Amino acid sequence: MKKKNSDLDPLHSDIWELYKNLRMETKKKWKRTLPLNELLFDRWEKAQFLGAKKNASIYDSSYIFGNVEIGENTWVGPFTILDGSGGKVRIGKYCSISTGVQIYSHNSVKWSLTGRKVNLEKNEVSIGDNCYIGPNSIITMGSKIGKGCVVGASSLIKSTIPANSIVFGTDLIKSSVKNSLVSSSNLSI
């Protein structure tokens, strides 16, 4: 049986009222609705707390482990994993790390298959300035993405990507060099 708000304990009622007020405020101001945790917690404060550079923002639902460096004005979307537990993960300035992106600086495949007889493989990851990493992409240990790159949605990155490249897919198809698609005043991708 569904409870009415009047049947809730006082704390629950207060939280429910706070949520409704924050939800309405956000809807009016930004024309969006968000889960309660994203309404309560400040993305820019989280980034500052984690040592990210000026004006970076990190959603509350993002998981950050180990040695992760995030450049200024970089946006880290919801439901992301930035795992620097195996080596430094460096993300440059003015980057967009889209929803669901996972970045790992370690690999546990051989460790698992050998029953822990082999250590975890570890290596750094770097993403240059002005990069866009599409939703649900995975970037594995040792990957290096040059400045000004676009990584298409659901891509698997496990190598070095030269600056100004557009790549997508699990076998990394290099589409073209970004500069050929970008005019001086109009970005058209």
Side-chain angles (χ1 to χ4, degrees):
M1 179 174 175
K2 187 176 175 184
K3 282 187 175 183
K4 296 178 190 172
N5 284 344
S6 60
D7 296 337
L8 301 175
D9 65 66
L11 178 59
H12 192 179
S13 292
D14 289 347
I15 293 170
W16 176 245
E17 287 303 313
L18 175 64
Y19 173 64
K20 289 192 311 184
N21 291 334
L22 290 172
R23 181 174 62 175
M24 186 56 71
E25 241 178 69
T26 304
K27 184 178 180 190
K28 283 180 183 176
K29 187 174 182 179
W30 303 104
K31 292 184 169 76
R32 67 175 75 171
T33 58
L34 297 169
L36 178 61
N37 65 311
E38 298 297 350
L39 295 170
L40 289 175
F41 301 104
D42 185 311
R43 296 181 296 171
W44 294 269
E45 186 281 329
K46 179 175 182 175
Q48 185 179 22
F49 175 76
L50 293 170
K53 302 294 188 229
K54 183 179 176 186
N55 294 324
S57 71
I58 303 170
Y59 270 76
D60 185 56
S61 59
S62 296
Y63 287 72
I64 314 290
F65 307 105
N67 189 359
V68 177
E69 179 183 299
I70 298 170
E72 67 182 68
N73 294 296
T74 286
W75 178 82
V76 179
F79 311 112
T80 53
I81 298 172
L82 309 180
D83 189 344
S85 62
K88 187 177 200 170
V89 170
R90 184 202 166 277
I91 301 171
K93 60 186 176 183
Y94 296 97
C95 291
S96 286
I97 309 300
S98 299
T99 301
V101 167
Q102 299 174 43
I103 302 173
Y104 297 102
S105 62
H106 72 281
N107 184 327
S108 61
V109 173
K110 291 178 183 175
W111 175 87
S112 298
L113 293 174
T114 63
R116 299 172 65 176
K117 293 177 184 159
V118 173
N119 290 332
L120 293 175
E121 294 177 276
K122 300 177 181 183
N123 204 340
E124 295 182 350
V125 173
S126 67
I127 299 172
D129 297 340
N130 307 98
C131 287
Y132 172 83
I133 310 299
N136 300 314
S137 293
I138 299 172
I139 301 171
T140 63
M141 64 169 209
S143 296
K144 292 175 180 41
I145 299 174
K147 181 179 180 178
C149 288
V150 173
V151 175
S154 299
S155 294
L156 175 63
I157 305 296
K158 53 186 181 177
S159 60
T160 297
I161 309 301
N164 300 309
S165 295
I166 297 173
V167 295
F168 55 91
T170 55
D171 291 329
L172 279 189
I173 299 163
K174 184 175 179 183
S175 172
S176 64
V177 175
K178 183 180 83 170
N179 291 339
S180 67
L181 296 177
V182 179
S183 70
S184 61
S185 63
N186 184 19
L187 179 62
S188 175
I189 297 178

